[in-house]
Amino acid sequence: MSANPFSPEVVAAVTGHMNADHPEDTLLIVRALGGRPEATAARMTGLDGTAGEYSATVAGREVVVRIPWSQPITERAQIRAEVVRLYRQACERLGVPPRGEEGAQP
């Protein structure tokens, strides 16, 4: 894998925001798109230019889940667009109506 295009400060800001403000969205994404439908909790732990990384609680254990972006990204604004896309895709797959018009907003 190539170097992460995002600084540790950007990663910390995005993951902190997602975990503080959008934990339900993160859980939906992990359940629907991370192959962990049985997850009872999830938090975003990192990201790079190719994927978001999550820690999910499954059967009482923490497991790492990596969910790829639709394309490689290099700009901070692209992170938000990709997370919103993942959230909407997860809602559609799970048959859950998205909240608000914009969904998750990292």
Side-chain angles (χ1 to χ4, degrees):
M1 178 180 357
S2 61
N4 192 337
F6 304 107
S7 70
E9 294 79 15
V10 167
V11 173
V14 171
T15 58
H17 171 75
M18 288 302 296
N19 294 331
D21 296 345
H22 303 288
E24 300 88 1
D25 300 350
T26 300
L27 182 57
L28 287 174
I29 290 167
V30 166
R31 284 179 172 168
L33 307 175
R36 296 297 185 167
E38 70 281 17
T40 57
R43 61 189 173 82
M44 190 174 210
T45 57
L47 62 97
D48 60 31
T50 60
E53 292 187 1
Y54 304 85
S55 177
T57 304
V58 177
R61 289 186 24 234
E62 291 291 310
V63 297
V64 174
V65 177
R66 189 166 166 85
I67 302 173
W69 309 130
S70 63
Q71 61 186 356
I73 61 174
T74 58
E75 302 294 324
R76 185 172 180 165
Q78 293 173 298
I79 299 168
R80 179 185 185 280
E82 282 297 308
V83 173
V84 170
R85 182 191 63 75
L86 290 174
Y87 169 72
R88 289 182 177 155
Q89 186 179 359
C91 288
E92 183 178 323
R93 189 169 290 180
L94 296 173
V96 174
R99 64 174 175 71
E101 285 194 4
E102 297 188 358
Q105 299 178 20

